[in-house]
Amino acid sequence: MSIALRRSEVAERDSTRHLTIPELRRARQIIATEGQLASFVPEGGFSNELEALNAIGATLGLTVVDLSKETPEESLLNDFPVRLIHRYNIFPIRRTEDSITLAVSNPFDVQAADAVAEATGVFVEIVLALPHEVGAMIKSHLGVGAQTLDGLIAQTEESSDIEVIGDLEFDESEASTMAQEASVVRLVNDILVEAVAARASDIHMEVQATGLKIRNRIDGVLQTQPVPPELNRFQAAIISRLKIMAHLNIAEKRVPQDGRIKIRVSGREVDIRVSIIPMLHGESVVMRVLDKDAMSFSLSGIGMEDDVNQQFQKLIRMPHGIVLVTGPTGSGKTTTLYSSLAEIKSERNKIITTEDPIEYQLEGINQIQVNHKVGLTFAASLRSILRHDPDVVLVGEIRDFETAENAVQASLTGHMVFSTLHTNDAAGAFMRLVDMGVEPFLVASTVEGIMAQRLVRTLCKECRQPWVPATTDLPDDFPVDEIGKTPIYQPQGCRQCRGTGYSGRLGIYELLETNDEIRSLANDRTGTDSIRKAAMAAGMKTLRQDGWRKVLKGRTSIDEVLRVTKAD
């Protein structure tokens, strides 16, 4: 069977507009965010979806087909995993002895081809088709109704790669009964396994007026997961299943609930923190995925440049004082602190932490879980820790005056204290502590160093493209003198990185080491700007400057640095 091109004339096909790299990246971003090709049509300057798809296909070297002229063989559909058709909105249109031609509606969804290749064991050839044509093909050949999703997920011949650790408790309620149905159990397991396989840090299940929306946060960026429309009728059962797994009250739907799920995926233990909050259209679920086996705590592996690493190594080995790590939620503060403890732990010192919650269990380190219900706060646990003869103390976060005061007292009595603080940069930590009520002279005399940090995505080494920018294309503070000495790269997108152009993350750092001048400024309640200037004069590299160093080393892109930092 020949593949019918939407534009049969070769000359007409060759004249199709090609997108520039920025346009292609923007198309991928819009389709990933909005979940539909139509959203890119007006921004790309196209009159309809077909023109936009032809341009994307021409740029990527993919053929656009007219599905209305295709008649897939029945034997192909009988042997094809139906669940993949619904999950990725794809349709197989031809099969040879060693390959399958697959029509996809999302040109950037490389997961679809990988999943089909893995399931069928043959080479997959990708062609593009309009989303509504793929939908029409699915409806005409597979039908839409009550059995569609059951056929998708009730694959009894397939074994699950997931095991829930611990006993689950069920009652006689209707919600509990629905949550035990094989189709619901398999669907929830599938969502969790897919998130772990994609290295997602969070799973967002959002209930909207149009139905359930699932997004995974991968490398710090939310990516929409395609789901069949029939999933909406399982919405309540899915949430009930997650509540049971997290040992929450399935009957309570009016107040927020927090819990934890422990699962084993392909032999790896994974912790999942579950947060459920009632929203306008139902309960919304966010799950933080903590993959223990995927984490390794080492300062050399989190992206510190050699000069920053040497300075920080000296700070964390001081006999007493306070070392703070600052940054917004999700900037890697806990990983930096855990890596610091892993560097200094030994049989000769005792390390105690107080955390809320304990994200990872560390061998050789004593960890306390904060429990506000019984009065075990950061401040209360810190007072008790000091009677336990520690050498090093880690306080998960300094949130209030009492915790800050206790941390200062701990450092004054000969202990090394690590903690986190929410400030935008390193210099702002001094004034933040003073604003909490700590005396300026105590802050100045105890804080030895402050590390501000952010996370940027690292470029995929398989597909990154060298780029020689014009000066006008660069930010004003970019070190233009370095252009030409080393190549600068841009993201491209390939199967290895799931079409994003990035794979993994690393930190950018701003390390302020307290000296006599900075202590004097802090003692005098001097503003943050003055402290920042004094630190830069002493050699501190700002977040932005460290980001540019990562760009010049080919590890990240200019866009990533601009995304997470502001100009100095």
Side-chain angles (χ1 to χ4, degrees):
M1 182 193 307
S2 62
I3 298 177
L5 288 176
R6 190 61 99 147
R7 303 188 178 200
S8 56
E9 294 294 327
V10 174
E12 187 177 9
R13 182 188 61 194
D14 291 343
S15 65
T16 301
R17 170 185 159 190
H18 286 62
L19 302 179
T20 63
I21 289 179
E23 286 176 329
L24 193 65
R25 282 173 24 214
R26 182 59 179 156
R28 182 174 63 228
Q29 179 186 8
I30 289 176
I31 293 174
T33 304
E34 302 294 334
Q36 52 187 357
L37 175 66
S39 301
F40 177 64
V41 171
E43 182 164 332
F46 299 102
S47 58
N48 54 50
E49 288 184 71
L50 178 58
E51 281 188 11
L53 192 65
N54 275 325
I56 294 172
T59 308
L60 296 176
L62 296 174
T63 302
V64 178
V65 301
D66 183 354
L67 284 187
S68 65
K69 299 179 181 178
E70 298 292 339
T71 307
E73 299 173 7
E74 188 174 341
S75 60
L76 170 59
L77 294 177
N78 291 338
D79 297 335
F80 196 86
V82 178
R83 70 188 189 284
L84 299 182
I85 293 178
H86 290 279
R87 184 185 304 164
Y88 296 108
N89 200 37
I90 58 177
F91 206 86
I93 57 176
R94 183 176 61 170
R95 174 165 187 162
T96 63
E97 188 171 301
D98 55 2
S99 70
I100 287 179
T101 300
L102 191 68
V104 304
S105 58
N106 182 351
F108 306 106
D109 188 5
V110 295
Q111 298 180 52
D114 291 343
V116 171
E118 183 177 354
T120 60
V122 298
F123 175 78
V124 176
E125 179 187 0
I126 294 294
V127 294
L128 303 182
L130 290 170
H132 68 85
E133 289 185 356
V134 175
M137 186 71 84
I138 293 172
K139 290 179 182 178
S140 63
H141 288 274
L142 300 178
V144 175
Q147 289 75 35
T148 303
L149 196 59
D150 290 343
L152 161 66
I153 56 183
Q155 305 282 333
T156 54
E157 72 277 5
E158 297 184 10
S159 61
S160 177
D161 288 332
I162 185 172
E163 173 192 351
V164 181
I165 301 174
D167 297 329
L168 301 184
E169 296 181 3
F170 300 95
D171 55 32
E172 301 300 322
S173 66
E174 182 181 355
S176 182
T177 303
M178 290 173 59
Q180 296 178 68
E181 291 181 6
S183 55
V184 174
V185 171
R186 178 167 291 280
L187 180 54
V188 170
N189 289 353
D190 210 26
I191 291 169
L192 298 179
V193 168
E194 190 166 323
V196 172
R199 299 178 297 103
S201 61
D202 301 88
I203 307 168
H204 292 242
M205 300 178 66
E206 302 160 333
V207 181
Q208 300 178 347
T210 53
L212 191 65
K213 183 177 183 180
I214 299 178
R215 296 190 290 172
N216 289 344
R217 189 178 295 279
I218 302 173
D219 293 333
V221 178
L222 284 171
Q223 298 182 17
T224 302
Q225 303 303 299
V227 293
E230 294 83 3
L231 186 76
N232 293 329
R233 69 184 179 91
F234 285 88
Q235 174 184 312
I238 289 170
I239 294 174
S240 293
R241 173 66 183 174
L242 289 170
K243 284 182 176 180
I244 290 171
M245 293 172 72
H247 304 285
L248 300 177
N249 183 357
I250 64 172
E252 181 57 76
K253 300 180 180 180
R254 300 164 299 173
V255 297
Q257 297 189 70
D258 296 317
R260 174 169 280 186
I261 299 171
K262 274 192 169 186
I263 59 175
R264 189 176 286 111
V265 180
S266 301
R268 293 156 50 193
E269 279 196 20
V270 178
D271 276 352
I272 299 176
R273 294 211 313 263
V274 181
S275 172
I276 300 179
I277 299 179
M279 299 285 184
L280 178 63
H281 299 291
E283 291 177 291
S284 177
V285 183
V286 173
M287 292 174 278
R288 169 65 56 88
V289 181
L290 303 171
D291 189 349
K292 298 177 181 179
D293 293 338
M295 290 298 297
S296 60
F297 298 109
S298 166
L299 288 178
S300 60
I302 58 177
M304 283 189 194
E305 299 295 329
D306 290 341
D307 55 342
V308 176
N309 193 1
Q310 289 172 13
Q311 274 184 287
F312 196 62
Q313 292 276 2
K314 184 178 71 173
L315 283 172
I316 63 177
R317 285 173 168 79
M318 285 186 168
H320 56 81
I322 298 176
V323 172
L324 298 171
V325 180
T326 76
T329 302
S331 59
K333 301 187 296 296
T334 301
T335 301
T336 298
L337 288 176
Y338 280 177
S339 300
S340 302
L341 297 183
E343 290 275 342
I344 64 175
K345 74 173 181 178
S346 73
E347 293 297 318
R348 297 186 301 275
N349 61 22
K350 180 159 185 171
I351 302 173
I352 305 179
T353 76
T354 173
E355 306 170 57
D356 183 24
I358 296 173
E359 294 195 1
Y360 297 97
Q361 298 175 25
L362 304 177
E363 185 67 30
I365 293 173
N366 305 279
Q367 297 172 271
I368 299 172
Q369 170 67 58
V370 166
N371 188 341
H372 294 280
K373 293 180 180 178
V374 298
L376 187 61
T377 61
F378 281 126
S381 59
L382 185 50
R383 285 195 301 271
S384 298
I385 286 171
L386 297 182
R387 296 192 290 270
H388 224 66
D389 190 29
D391 297 291
V392 179
V393 178
L394 184 150
V395 182
E397 183 184 344
I398 295 178
R399 300 175 179 172
D400 50 40
F401 168 69
E402 190 179 5
T403 307
E405 183 182 43
N406 288 343
V408 168
Q409 292 302 321
S411 70
L412 290 174
T413 52
H415 302 88
M416 192 66 206
V417 180
F418 296 108
S419 190
T420 68
L421 202 63
H422 285 289
T423 61
N424 290 325
D425 57 12
F430 292 100
M431 289 302 103
R432 181 80 181 93
L433 291 173
V434 172
D435 288 343
M436 286 183 184
V438 182
E439 290 294 337
F441 76 91
L442 290 175
V443 175
S445 61
T446 56
V447 175
E448 298 293 343
I450 304 156
M451 174 78 84
Q453 67 179 75
R454 300 290 189 276
L455 291 178
V456 293
R457 292 181 292 173
T458 51
L459 288 164
C460 174
K461 293 182 179 179
E462 299 295 325
C463 64
R464 63 179 185 176
Q465 294 291 317
W467 179 48
V468 181
T471 306
T472 54
D473 295 332
L474 295 170
D476 294 338
D477 59 345
F478 191 87
V480 291
D481 295 342
E482 299 296 323
I483 296 176
K485 296 180 183 178
T486 56
I488 296 175
Y489 293 92
Q490 281 191 319
Q492 181 68 23
C494 65
R495 289 190 176 184
Q496 193 73 20
C497 61
R498 299 174 181 265
T500 63
Y502 299 94
S503 179
R505 289 188 290 177
L506 78 159
I508 57 174
Y509 301 94
E510 175 180 292
L511 179 57
L512 187 156
E513 191 172 1
T514 310
N515 57 26
D516 291 341
E517 182 183 0
I518 291 173
R519 290 189 199 280
S520 177
L521 291 171
N523 188 43
D524 295 339
R525 295 177 181 261
T526 308
T528 297
D529 287 343
S530 298
I531 294 175
R532 181 182 176 84
K533 288 175 183 176
M536 292 176 68
M540 181 186 79
K541 294 284 193 301
T542 65
L543 286 168
R544 187 83 152 200
Q545 290 169 340
D546 194 47
W548 296 146
R549 289 202 285 181
K550 301 291 195 302
V551 170
L552 293 168
K553 289 190 174 184
R555 305 185 71 183
T556 191
S557 67
I558 291 176
D559 287 345
E560 274 297 287
V561 176
L562 293 175
R563 182 175 68 87
V564 302
T565 66
K566 65 177 183 179
D568 299 324

